[in-house]
Amino acid sequence: QVDRYLYHMRLSDDVLLDVMARFQAEMVKGLGRDTNPTATVKMLPSFVRSLPDGSEKGDFLAVDLGGSQFRAHQVKVFDDGKQSSQLESKFYPTPKEVIQGNGAELFDYVADCLLDFMETKNLKHKKLPLGFTFSFPCKQTKLEEGVLLAWTKHFKVRGVQDTDVVSALRKALQKHKASFVPAGDIDVLALVNDTVGTMMTCGYDDQRCEVGLIIGTGTNACYMEEMRHIDLVEGDEGRMCINTEWGAFGDDGALDDLRTEFDRELDLGSLNPGKQLFEKMISSLYLGELVRLILLKMTKEGLLFSGKVSTALLTKGKIEMKHVSAMEKYKEGLSNTKEILTELNLFPSEEDCIAVQHVCTIVSFRSANLCAATLAAILTRLRENKKLLRMRTTVGIDGGLYKTHPQYAKRLHKVVRRLVPNCDVRFLLSVSGSGKGAAMVTAVAYRLAAQRKQIDAALAPFLLSLETLREVKNKMRTEVEYGLKRETQASATVKMLPTYVCGTPDGTEKGKFLALDLGGTNFRVLLVKIRSGRRRSVQMYNKIFAIPLEIMQGTGEELFDHIVQCIADFLEYMGIKGARLPLGFTFSFPCRQASIDKGTLVGWTKGFKATDCEGEDVVDMLREAIRRRNEFDLDIVAVVNDTVGTMMTCGYEDPNCEIGLIAGTGSNVCYMEDMKNIEIVEGNEGKMCINTEWGGFGDNGCIDNIRTQYDKEVDEGSLNPGKQRYEKMTSGMYLGEIVRQILIDLTKQGLLFRGQISESLRKRGIFETKFLSQIERWLIWLGSLMTLGVSTCEDSIIVKEVCGAVSKRAAQLCGAGLAAIVEKKRENRGVEHLQITVGVDGTLYKLHPHFSRVLRETVKELAPQCDVTFMLSEDGSGKGAALITAVAKRLHNVGQ
C-alpha cells in the first residue's frame, strides 16, 4: 500500500542517470560567464586554489557559523612529517533573536564569542590568522572576501544580504580593539564554505580528496575545477575549488517532474518558497517534515492510525530527522517507531509501525539516490577534466544525516558506485570539517604566501628591466664593433666572421645543386632544383640521417667518413651517383673563412666534440673523406653557416631581407655589412654577409651582472665551460637545463615536489626545448610531468612559471642583441627610419608559444626607428646552402 502511495518517490537508475545529465548541464551553465546569471546552480569560485600538501604548520583560529551552534576553534598544525594537528573547540548557542535579528547584532555576537574563546584559551595576546567558515552562498572575488547572496537554513538576518561578510566581521572585531593585544589585530585570511572546509580537512589526511560533500541540516558539494573552465575568474592555469551551491538545483523547474505533492506542500510552508528545492528533497532540515506530511495525508485517508489525526501530526516540525533515523534502525527500528508514535499520541498498531517505518525508508532512500546522482555528475566531470578512463579519488563528507542515519552512508556509496563504475571512490568522514577546514584553508593560504615570496625571489633575477635590456643592446653593439676592427678582432667575443657571401639571389639562378646540412644531432643531404624566369621555383628532395653520440664526440675522421657514407646513401637513393654536382655545405659552427669555399673551425658548439677538427678547414676534411671513399666526386662551392642560409632563403622571397636569425638549439645572427666597415677583409666596395657568432657574447664577463647562479651552474656543467655564455642564456639547448637547476633549487627549499628530488630530475638534459614549449602551451598534463616528481596541480603551475621566466628572458636577451644589429644597419644606411626584414629559423622561434612575440616586442621597444618584419624561413639551412652555391656560381661565371 505504501509502495503504491509513494510510487513517485522511488527512482530507477535510468531516472538517476537522467538527473545526473541534467545536473552536469547546470554545472556547465553555472561556470559560463554568459549563462551564470540564469543558472540555478551558481558554481561559486571559492578562491581556494590549493589542497594541503602536508607542509603546513602553525597556530590558527577558526570560527564556524552556519548550523544550530556557533563554534570557535584553535587549530595547531604540526610539520612533524606525520601530518598531525590538534583541535580545541568551544560551542556557543545561536539564539533565535540573533539568527533572525540584524547584521550588526549577529557579527557582534560572533566577535563576543571569539573573544570569550581566546580568553578561555589564554590567546588574547597572540596575533593569530583567522579562518571564517560561513556556510551560506557567497560570491567571492578573493579568498578573504565574500558577498552574501541569500540566507538559507532558517537564517533571516536583516541588512547582510549583498554585503561583504568578512568586512562585517572585521568591523565587529574592531569594536573590541582595546581588549585585544596587539591592537586587536586578528587577521581574517580566508572565508570558507563548510563544504570547502570539509574537503580541506579530508585533503590534509588524504591528498586524493578533491570533492567536499555536506549532507546534514543543509546539503551542498564543492570540488576542484580546472581554471580554464571557470569563465567567472581570470586566468586558465591550475585549479580552483568551486562551491556548487547545489541546493538550488531545480529552482527553475528542472526537477518538477520528480517533485511530489508533498514536496510542493513542504515548499509552500517554508521560509523561502520556490527556493532551494533540491535541498528540500535531500537535507535533514526537511526530511522529518516530509515524513509528517505523508503520514498526515495517509491518516486522513484512513490508511494509518485508524484515521485518527492527532495534534502532533498537525503540528509543523513535530517529526524531526532524529525520529526518522531512530525509526529506520535495523533491530530496534520497530520498537523505536512504536515509542516515537506513542509519544505523538498516535497509538499505532504493528501494521502502522511497519508502514511508517517504510515511509521513512522511502523518503531517506530518495534523498540518498538524488545526492548520489549529483555527486556522480561531479565525479564524471573530474574524470573527464583529467582525461582519464578510470579515476581514483576521495570524497570528504560531513553532516548529521550522513553520520547519524543508520543506513544513509551505505545506500549513498552503493548508488554512486553503480552510477560511475569507472571511478574508484573512497568516502572519508570529516572530523570537525568546517572548523578545522577553515584553519586548513588559512594554513594553506599562509604557506602559499610564504612560498610565493621564495619563488619570486628565485625568479627575480630573470626579470630584466628595460634599462638592463638597453645596457645589453649597447654592450652587444660595442662587441660587434670590436669584432669588425683589425686590432681588436682577435680578442673580441663576438667574432664577426666574414662569410664571403657577397650577393643575395636576383632570380636568375638555375640548375641542380646538392646541399649538406650539419648543425645538430641530425644530418641532412638535399638535392635542390632551381628554375629561373617566369616559372621561378625551388624543388627539394632530402634524406635525414642520425649522428650517433659516439661519432659527435669521436674523431674528426670518423665524423667526416660518416657524413660521406650518408651522402653516398642519398646519391644512390636518388639515382645520381655519377653526376658531379655543385655542393653547398651548411656547417652551423663558428668558422673563420678565407674564401667562400674555405672554412676553418674556430670551436665546436651544441654538444659536438670531435677531435682533430678545431683549427682545420672543414671543406678540406670533407674532400679528403670523399677521396678516401673513392666512389664519387663533388664540386664543393660554398661552406655556409645556417644563419646565412636562413637569410638567403628569405632573401629569395624578399629582397629587403638582409639579416638572418637562428633561435633554436643554438642562437646566432648574420647580416649584410658594408665592406668598408669590415677591416679584416680587403676592399671597400659593396657588402658581405657577416656571421656574428654572437653566442660568445659575454665570454669576457661584460654581461656577468645578469648571469644568475643557475646560469653559472649550467655553464660549469657544460662541455665548454666559460664559452658561449650568451648562447647558454638564449638557446634551446640550454634553457631546459636552466629550468632543471631552478627546479632542483626550489625542491631543496621545500617549495616543490614535497622536497623530494626525483631520479629523473637529477638527470642532466631531461628538459628539451620542445618540453618547455609544451609546458608553456599547457599541453603536458600532470601525468606527463610525474617523472619529474610533479604530484600536484600546484607543482605543475610552478614548473610552468619557471619555464615562462627562463624563456621570456631568453627572448628578451635575443631581442636586445637583434636591436643592436638593426640599429647598426640603420646607421650604415644613414636613414632616420629603416625598413628591414629578418629571416628567422629555429624550433624555439617556431614552436614556443611566446618566444617570437616577446622577441618582436623587445626589438620594437629597443629600436623604435626600425620597422622590422620577421619572415619565417622555409628550410633555410638546406635551401639556403643551395641558393648560396647558385649565387656563387653565377658571380663566378660573371667574373670569368
Side-chain angles (χ1 to χ4, degrees):
Q1 231 177 6
V2 172
D3 275 350
R4 216 170 37 244
Y5 201 75
L6 296 180
Y7 173 75
H8 288 302
M9 283 196 168
R10 287 191 168 278
L11 306 175
S12 68
D13 278 5
D14 283 346
V15 171
L16 294 178
L17 287 166
D18 185 41
V19 171
M20 190 174 148
R22 293 184 214 182
F23 188 70
Q24 277 179 307
E26 274 301 307
M27 288 168 77
V28 172
K29 208 171 158 187
L31 288 170
R33 184 177 279 112
D34 299 334
T35 47
N36 175 274
T38 58
T40 55
V41 179
K42 284 298 174 199
M43 305 295 283
L44 303 171
S46 68
F47 291 82
V48 169
R49 296 172 188 264
S50 176
L51 292 163
D53 72 354
S55 67
E56 292 76 17
K57 58 183 174 186
D59 247 9
F60 303 93
L61 287 171
V63 290
D64 184 355
L65 180 70
S68 51
Q69 288 180 310
F70 170 74
R71 291 175 289 181
H73 312 269
Q74 181 193 7
V75 182
K76 288 177 193 269
V77 184
F78 304 102
D79 184 19
D80 54 5
K82 298 175 190 167
Q83 286 185 238
S84 49
S85 61
Q86 187 184 314
L87 174 74
E88 293 189 40
S89 308
K90 193 170 177 185
F91 292 72
Y92 299 87
T94 41
K96 195 172 179 183
E97 61 271 20
V98 170
I99 64 170
Q100 294 189 6
N102 67 51
E105 288 163 355
L106 172 68
F107 289 103
D108 281 346
Y109 180 72
V110 171
D112 286 339
C113 294
L114 179 59
L115 182 55
D116 173 75
F117 177 72
M118 291 179 78
E119 271 176 355
T120 309
K121 298 288 171 196
N122 199 22
L123 297 172
K124 267 179 72 179
H125 305 296
K126 284 191 177 179
K127 184 181 177 182
L128 297 178
L130 175 77
F132 182 17
T133 302
F134 186 75
S135 308
F136 305 94
C138 280
K139 185 180 180 181
Q140 289 185 250
T141 47
K142 45 188 171 189
L143 187 58
E144 69 282 11
E145 189 180 275
V147 172
L148 175 66
L149 295 177
W151 287 112
T152 55
K153 300 179 240 183
H154 291 337
F155 273 69
K156 274 280 185 186
V157 184
R158 298 183 301 280
V160 183
Q161 208 166 313
D162 301 324
T163 65
D164 174 21
V165 294
V166 176
S167 295
L169 177 57
R170 283 191 180 127
K171 207 169 169 185
L173 289 168
Q174 280 296 311
K175 289 184 190 172
H176 295 284
K177 204 168 183 177
S179 315
F180 289 98
V181 179
D185 255 350
I186 293 180
D187 202 4
V188 187
L189 276 192
L191 177 71
V192 184
N193 181 280
D194 55 350
T195 329
V196 182
T198 296
M199 181 188 77
M200 292 299 270
T201 302
C202 294
Y204 188 64
D205 300 320
D206 178 347
Q207 265 134 20
R208 285 191 191 277
C209 182
E210 48 194 345
V211 180
L213 179 61
I214 299 281
I215 315 169
T217 318
T219 179
N220 194 12
C222 71
Y223 72 103
M224 295 301 286
E225 176 60 87
E226 302 288 339
M227 279 291 288
R228 68 184 190 279
H229 295 150
I230 310 170
D231 281 358
L232 311 167
V233 179
E234 289 303 311
D236 60 357
E237 289 168 17
R239 302 195 298 169
M240 184 182 283
C241 181
I242 289 291
N243 164 20
T244 65
E245 283 300 335
W246 75 10
F249 177 38
D251 286 6
D252 57 353
L255 296 177
D256 280 3
D257 56 328
L258 300 179
R259 290 173 72 229
T260 64
E261 58 180 300
F262 308 111
D263 294 308
R264 292 190 177 88
E265 195 177 338
L266 180 143
D267 176 42
L268 286 171
S270 69
L271 283 170
N272 54 353
K275 290 183 179 168
Q276 299 295 106
L277 297 182
F278 186 63
E279 182 167 87
K280 285 168 187 169
M281 296 166 84
I282 289 183
S283 80
S284 63
L285 188 64
Y286 300 100
L287 295 193
E289 182 60 9
L290 206 52
V291 167
R292 182 188 73 83
L293 291 171
I294 294 166
L295 298 185
L296 176 61
K297 184 160 185 195
M298 288 177 78
T299 307
K300 281 180 177 174
E301 292 184 13
L303 299 171
L304 282 175
F305 314 128
S306 310
K308 290 176 186 163
V309 178
S310 72
T311 316
L313 268 190
L314 292 167
T315 310
K316 188 176 170 185
K318 201 69 181 172
I319 297 178
E320 295 173 41
M321 192 63 224
K322 63 181 183 186
H323 299 136
V324 176
S325 295
M327 290 191 275
E328 277 197 77
K329 280 190 178 156
Y330 283 114
K331 287 180 182 169
E332 60 270 46
L334 270 179
S335 58
N336 284 348
T337 306
K338 191 171 179 75
E339 200 179 304
I340 289 162
L341 295 174
T342 304
E343 274 176 26
L344 296 173
N345 295 321
L346 289 165
F347 311 109
S349 64
E350 193 167 335
E351 287 77 20
D352 288 338
C353 290
I354 292 168
V356 170
Q357 198 179 29
H358 204 47
V359 168
C360 292
T361 301
I362 289 172
V363 168
S364 58
F365 212 134
R366 183 186 70 158
S367 164
N369 273 339
L370 287 171
C371 195
T374 43
L375 178 58
I378 289 173
L379 294 170
T380 301
R381 184 168 178 90
L382 270 177
R383 186 181 59 77
E384 287 170 356
N385 280 352
K386 292 179 182 182
K387 301 179 170 62
L388 295 173
L389 291 173
R390 190 166 195 89
M391 177 181 76
R392 273 182 71 191
T393 193
T394 298
V395 176
I397 306 196
D398 203 356
L401 180 54
Y402 182 86
K403 285 179 181 173
T404 60
H405 189 283
Q407 290 151 61
Y408 197 97
K410 200 165 81 178
R411 287 171 186 166
L412 177 75
H413 301 175
K414 202 171 165 186
V415 180
V416 167
R417 289 184 176 125
R418 220 166 53 231
L419 295 178
V420 279
N422 45 11
C423 292
D424 301 318
V425 191
R426 178 189 180 205
F427 292 89
L428 183 59
L429 193 59
S430 163
V431 181
S432 179
S434 42
K436 184 178 168 185
M440 287 316 312
V441 173
T442 309
V444 170
Y446 221 60
R447 165 175 65 82
L448 292 178
Q451 271 185 358
R452 185 73 266 157
K453 266 188 192 160
Q454 287 171 280
I455 291 163
D456 287 348
L459 297 182
F462 290 87
L463 303 174
L464 304 180
S465 67
L466 202 54
E467 206 41 59
T468 302
L469 291 170
R470 276 201 191 96
E471 212 177 286
V472 172
K473 178 187 87 166
N474 296 337
K475 284 176 180 174
M476 176 68 86
R477 178 64 187 270
T478 303
E479 292 296 312
V480 161
E481 299 292 355
Y482 284 159
L484 287 171
K485 290 190 166 50
R486 187 176 279 111
E487 68 272 17
T488 50
Q489 205 273 340
S491 61
T493 59
V494 179
K495 287 296 176 198
M496 304 299 284
L497 304 171
T499 64
Y500 294 85
V501 170
C502 297
T504 49
D506 68 358
T508 63
E509 294 77 16
K510 61 182 178 189
K512 283 183 187 176
F513 303 88
L514 271 182
L516 309 181
D517 179 10
L518 178 69
T521 49
N522 289 330
F523 168 65
R524 284 192 313 157
V525 187
L526 305 96
L527 174 66
V528 183
K529 295 178 180 176
I530 303 174
R531 290 169 76 163
S532 60
R534 275 194 317 183
R535 296 172 68 191
R536 203 173 88 141
S537 67
V538 178
Q539 276 179 302
M540 291 192 296
Y541 309 88
N542 75 79
K543 207 165 184 205
I544 296 172
F545 302 89
I547 299 193
L549 189 65
E550 62 271 19
I551 284 178
M552 281 170 72
Q553 297 181 11
T555 68
E557 200 168 286
E558 286 168 335
L559 174 65
F560 281 91
D561 282 349
H562 179 75
I563 287 169
V564 172
Q565 171 69 56
C566 297
I567 297 170
D569 288 354
F570 179 75
L571 295 177
E572 200 161 291
Y573 170 73
M574 293 299 296
I576 51 169
K577 210 162 191 178
R580 189 175 188 270
L581 296 173
L583 179 140
F585 184 12
T586 299
F587 186 77
S588 307
F589 302 93
C591 282
R592 186 167 278 110
Q593 289 185 247
S595 65
I596 196 163
D597 64 346
K598 287 193 183 305
T600 304
L601 176 63
V602 175
W604 285 118
T605 57
K606 295 179 248 184
F608 274 73
K609 265 287 185 188
T611 57
D612 309 322
C613 294
E614 292 181 4
E616 297 295 325
D617 181 356
V618 293
V619 176
D620 283 348
M621 291 184 85
L622 180 61
R623 283 189 179 124
E624 277 168 35
I626 292 170
R627 262 199 296 277
R628 272 196 300 277
R629 192 173 180 90
N630 199 21
E631 270 185 30
F632 53 84
D633 195 16
L634 295 168
D635 175 16
I636 306 171
V637 173
V639 62
V640 182
N641 182 278
D642 54 350
T643 327
V644 185
T646 295
M647 181 189 78
M648 292 298 267
T649 302
C650 294
Y652 188 67
E653 308 293 333
D654 178 355
N656 214 13
C657 180
E658 292 200 352
I659 299 175
L661 167 68
I662 297 285
T665 312
S667 174
N668 195 15
V669 152
C670 72
Y671 72 104
M672 296 302 287
E673 178 58 274
D674 293 354
M675 282 291 287
K676 64 178 188 285
N677 296 331
I678 311 170
E679 292 186 7
I680 49 175
V681 177
E682 293 302 312
N684 285 328
E685 295 304 309
K687 293 177 183 179
M688 183 185 285
C689 181
I690 290 289
N691 165 18
T692 65
E693 283 301 333
W694 76 3
F697 173 48
D699 288 2
N700 58 0
C702 71
I703 55 170
D704 278 3
N705 61 316
I706 59 167
R707 288 175 78 229
T708 67
Q709 67 183 84
Y710 311 110
D711 294 308
K712 288 167 189 160
E713 280 159 5
V714 169
D715 180 35
E716 283 158 18
S718 69
L719 287 169
N720 53 353
K723 292 181 179 172
Q724 299 296 103
R725 288 181 177 178
Y726 181 66
E727 180 166 80
K728 284 170 186 166
M729 296 164 85
T730 54
S731 80
M733 178 145 189
Y734 300 98
L735 297 190
E737 189 53 25
I738 299 172
V739 167
R740 190 181 74 89
Q741 294 291 350
I742 298 170
L743 298 185
I744 287 173
D745 186 36
L746 294 179
T747 307
K748 282 178 182 170
Q749 292 182 52
L751 303 171
L752 260 181
F753 314 148
R754 304 188 193 291
Q756 303 294 312
I757 300 173
S758 68
E759 275 313 303
S760 56
L761 192 57
R762 291 179 197 276
K763 286 180 198 158
R764 183 168 287 281
I766 184 82
F767 263 88
E768 301 166 46
T769 323
K770 65 173 185 187
F771 208 47
L772 254 82
S773 298
Q774 288 170 330
I775 289 170
E776 285 205 66
R777 280 182 196 276
W778 218 235
L779 292 176
I780 290 185
W781 298 99
L782 278 179
S784 316
L785 287 171
M786 285 296 182
T787 51
L788 297 177
V790 169
S791 54
T792 64
C793 192
E794 290 70 45
D795 281 348
S796 64
I797 292 168
I798 294 169
V799 171
K800 183 173 184 236
E801 195 178 336
V802 170
C803 292
V806 171
S807 55
K808 183 179 181 183
R809 183 191 67 162
Q812 287 180 320
L813 286 175
C814 201
L818 189 57
I821 302 294
V822 295
E823 275 290 309
K824 182 166 192 349
K825 288 289 295 174
R826 187 180 67 78
E827 287 171 29
N828 282 357
R829 285 202 200 162
V831 291
E832 267 296 303
H833 200 86
L834 174 74
Q835 276 208 321
I836 195 160
T837 298
V838 176
V840 198
D841 203 353
T843 47
L844 200 52
Y845 186 90
K846 284 179 177 174
L847 302 179
H848 192 280
H850 313 300
F851 189 94
S852 59
R853 174 183 54 78
V854 175
L855 170 73
R856 291 193 302 268
E857 286 169 0
T858 308
V859 173
K860 196 170 186 175
E861 188 81 57
L862 298 179
Q865 288 164 279
C866 302
D867 184 7
V868 185
T869 302
F870 288 83
M871 184 179 186
L872 206 54
S873 160
E874 291 305 323
D875 191 46
S877 40
K879 185 173 166 184
L883 284 164
I884 289 167
T885 307
V887 171
K889 273 287 189 199
R890 170 171 62 79
L891 294 176
H892 178 71
N893 293 341
V894 168
Q896 277 192 328

